[in-house]
Amino acid sequence: MQIPDFLEFGSNLTNLEKTRNFNVFGNYSLDPFRTLLDSHGWRDRKKERLRISVVGTNGKGSVSHFLSGSFSNLGYKTGLYTSPHLFDPKERIRLGPSFEPVTGTDLREVSNILFTESNPEELSFLSWFEWFTLAAYVLFEKRDISVQVYEAGLGGRLDATKLSEADIVVLCAIGEDHKAVLGNTKEAILMEKLGIVSERTKFLFALEPEPSLLKILENFCTEKDLKLFLFPSLPTGKSYLTHNLEYVKFIINTLQSHLTKEFPGLEKQGDPTAKPLSQPPGRLEIVSKQPLIVFDPAHNPDAIRVTLSSLDSSFPGKKFSVLAGFLPDKEGESMAESLKAYTEEKNTKLYFFNSKEFKLPQGSESYSIEPEELNNILITTGQKEEGLLVLGSFRMYSYIRSED
């Protein structure tokens, strides 16, 4: 049998990131995916492993990147699985120490394993996200990856990365996002995120949430017999990247005293600060210096406020106009108000990107620009002392990069 191409096979699977049809979660179950994995041993640990699940509404991408880099500095073979991607889906799976995206050769190796031990018919029920999660499980074990960091895609209880059965869960900031799927309150959303905890989970790290959420978190850890470690939440005016890096340092320092005892075979090795950790791609990323264009994937009300608050510390003295593109399931009106208040205070411009992919917040039509107008906005920004903050869907990144 000719081995199918990994990406080509995946392109024929249901991709919720493109369809945005989250109604399917009403009847969704992880059981078929679990059965497939277990029937082939595709999530089995070949040796002692440390598997980490990173969940939350905001900040989990940067925390996942910083965690994997820190464990790599410690001397462990480390793998990172994240979502979504900026340009190429191969970006979702990265291997240390360089953490460059996997290659086509890597994915051919995965395909050879999957289609030799199974067949296209057996695999065709998978979703696109499950397909890539499966690839991470298989490749990490094939390459003998000791520390595996999995960033959850959506929620936790029903997320494909839950089946990694994490030893450690890292909880980032909780906000209101994807409410139609996860719940209408932060309390409900928190419980969905905590659903990623497995029977193997021993430790839970969390950014200290508001009192009502903290009580839920403490009760949950008591019930599940988990060791809970809290780190202060983000203070106003501080860059969230700086804060998330400090959060990861706290996690690493705490774990170093537990690794040998709790995870035999994963003794302390190197220095987690042996080399500087690179900034996660697509987070407060400078995509152009002239004009100054900064991209951030903030796409819910809490994330918008945090990103705007981070600008002054990350780019002191710089004013920003804002270009936003939000997908239809986002709370556009609330976000639009925050962006309008910021640009009015700074006396800068506010634009909303208007294309068939994006839904304009109510009342924002007067600010909207069409795709063909984008280059003029970039030129105008370059003629001023201010910068341009581009935020919202990760798909906005490709629009900005295409204008380089």
Side-chain angles (χ1 to χ4, degrees):
M1 180 188 75
Q2 182 176 358
I3 301 295
D5 176 78
F6 182 89
L7 293 177
E8 184 177 335
F9 184 84
S11 68
N12 293 315
L13 302 176
T14 301
N15 187 346
L16 297 183
E17 293 175 23
K18 287 187 176 181
T19 66
R20 317 303 294 176
N21 179 24
F22 296 118
N23 293 329
V24 299
F25 279 104
N27 299 313
Y28 180 76
S29 169
L30 279 174
D31 289 342
F33 188 36
R34 180 185 289 107
T35 298
L36 174 72
L37 292 172
D38 291 346
S39 65
H40 295 283
W42 284 337
R43 63 171 177 154
D44 292 352
R45 303 173 187 227
K46 305 299 188 290
K47 294 181 182 178
E48 183 67 32
R49 302 289 187 224
L50 180 63
R51 288 181 175 171
I52 303 173
S53 285
V54 183
V55 298
T57 308
N58 300 315
K60 60 183 185 290
S62 57
V63 166
S64 297
H65 278 270
F66 289 144
L67 270 173
S68 57
S70 297
F71 275 107
S72 182
N73 279 351
L74 279 169
Y76 299 111
K77 292 182 69 174
T78 307
L80 173 63
Y81 178 65
T82 64
S83 65
H85 59 270
L86 296 172
F87 278 125
D88 189 325
K90 293 193 291 292
E91 298 166 16
R92 296 176 179 235
I93 306 175
R94 298 172 184 263
L95 301 173
S98 66
F99 293 103
E100 291 296 316
V102 292
T103 65
T105 300
D106 295 323
L107 292 184
R108 280 193 293 275
E109 183 176 354
V110 172
S111 285
N112 285 334
I113 294 172
L114 296 180
F115 291 109
T116 298
E117 299 179 9
S118 182
N119 59 73
E121 290 72 26
E122 187 181 12
L123 299 171
S124 61
F125 76 90
L126 294 171
S127 70
W128 194 84
F129 185 78
E130 289 171 333
W131 181 238
F132 264 84
T133 306
L134 171 58
Y137 290 154
V138 168
L139 187 62
F140 289 170
E141 289 303 317
K142 177 67 174 178
R143 298 293 175 84
D144 192 24
I145 301 300
S146 300
V147 177
Q148 304 172 7
V149 179
Y150 296 93
E151 178 193 358
L154 178 64
R157 180 177 63 90
L158 297 175
D159 196 86
T161 62
K162 175 184 171 67
L163 299 185
S164 68
E165 296 191 335
D167 305 285
I168 297 167
V169 168
V170 175
L171 179 65
C172 300
I174 297 297
E176 295 182 351
D177 195 11
H178 299 296
K179 293 197 294 186
V181 179
L182 303 181
N184 290 319
T185 65
K186 288 186 178 181
E187 289 76 10
I189 292 170
L190 173 60
M191 289 306 300
E192 281 292 318
K193 306 288 185 183
L194 291 176
I196 206 163
V197 166
S198 76
E199 292 183 359
R200 296 186 67 111
T201 307
K202 298 180 179 180
F203 299 151
L204 195 153
F205 290 87
L207 292 174
E208 185 168 353
E210 57 199 69
S212 63
L213 300 183
L214 179 57
K215 183 175 181 61
I216 292 173
L217 185 59
E218 290 175 334
N219 290 341
F220 179 88
C221 288
T222 298
E223 178 185 334
K224 300 290 185 181
D225 194 26
L226 301 174
K227 295 177 182 178
L228 174 63
F229 300 92
L230 296 173
F231 190 75
S233 59
L234 174 66
T236 302
K238 185 176 186 179
S239 167
Y240 76 82
L241 286 177
T242 300
H243 187 257
N244 286 348
L245 179 56
E246 292 172 353
Y247 181 30
V248 167
K249 289 179 179 179
F250 166 75
I251 294 170
I252 295 294
N253 289 337
T254 303
L255 283 176
Q256 279 190 280
S257 62
H258 292 277
L259 281 174
T260 302
K261 177 181 178 181
E262 300 286 353
F263 307 101
L266 290 174
E267 294 81 7
K268 291 186 292 185
Q269 300 184 46
D271 178 0
T273 61
K275 63 178 182 179
L277 301 179
S278 58
Q279 179 167 318
R283 277 78 176 179
L284 287 177
E285 179 185 342
I286 298 174
V287 297
S288 169
K289 292 184 178 180
Q290 185 59 38
L292 175 61
I293 302 173
V294 175
F295 175 83
D296 192 85
H299 58 243
N300 60 66
D302 287 334
I304 293 292
R305 287 189 288 270
V306 165
T307 296
L308 294 177
S309 177
S310 298
L311 288 178
D312 287 341
S313 58
S314 300
F315 305 94
K318 181 66 68 173
K319 298 193 303 181
F320 284 86
S321 289
V322 177
L323 170 62
F326 301 124
L327 290 168
D329 61 323
K330 305 303 179 187
E331 296 185 345
E333 290 184 47
S334 174
M335 293 185 285
E337 287 301 317
S338 295
L339 296 176
K340 183 178 179 182
Y342 171 84
T343 53
E344 287 181 347
E345 176 189 348
K346 301 294 184 182
N347 193 28
T348 54
K349 297 291 186 180
L350 172 60
Y351 309 98
F352 289 95
F353 197 64
N354 189 13
S355 78
K356 63 181 181 180
E357 292 183 320
F358 302 107
K359 179 182 179 181
L360 293 178
Q362 185 175 351
S364 66
E365 285 77 7
S366 60
Y367 305 102
S368 69
I369 65 168
E370 301 297 328
E372 59 269 18
E373 300 176 88
L374 177 58
N375 193 51
N376 290 334
I377 298 299
L378 302 184
I379 293 174
T380 301
T381 300
Q383 294 170 343
K384 299 180 179 180
E385 293 300 316
E386 65 194 42
L388 180 67
L389 172 66
V390 181
L391 47 73
S393 166
F394 271 96
R395 300 183 192 185
M396 288 296 296
Y397 191 89
S398 60
Y399 279 104
I400 299 304
R401 279 299 195 186
S402 68
E403 298 294 334
D404 287 359

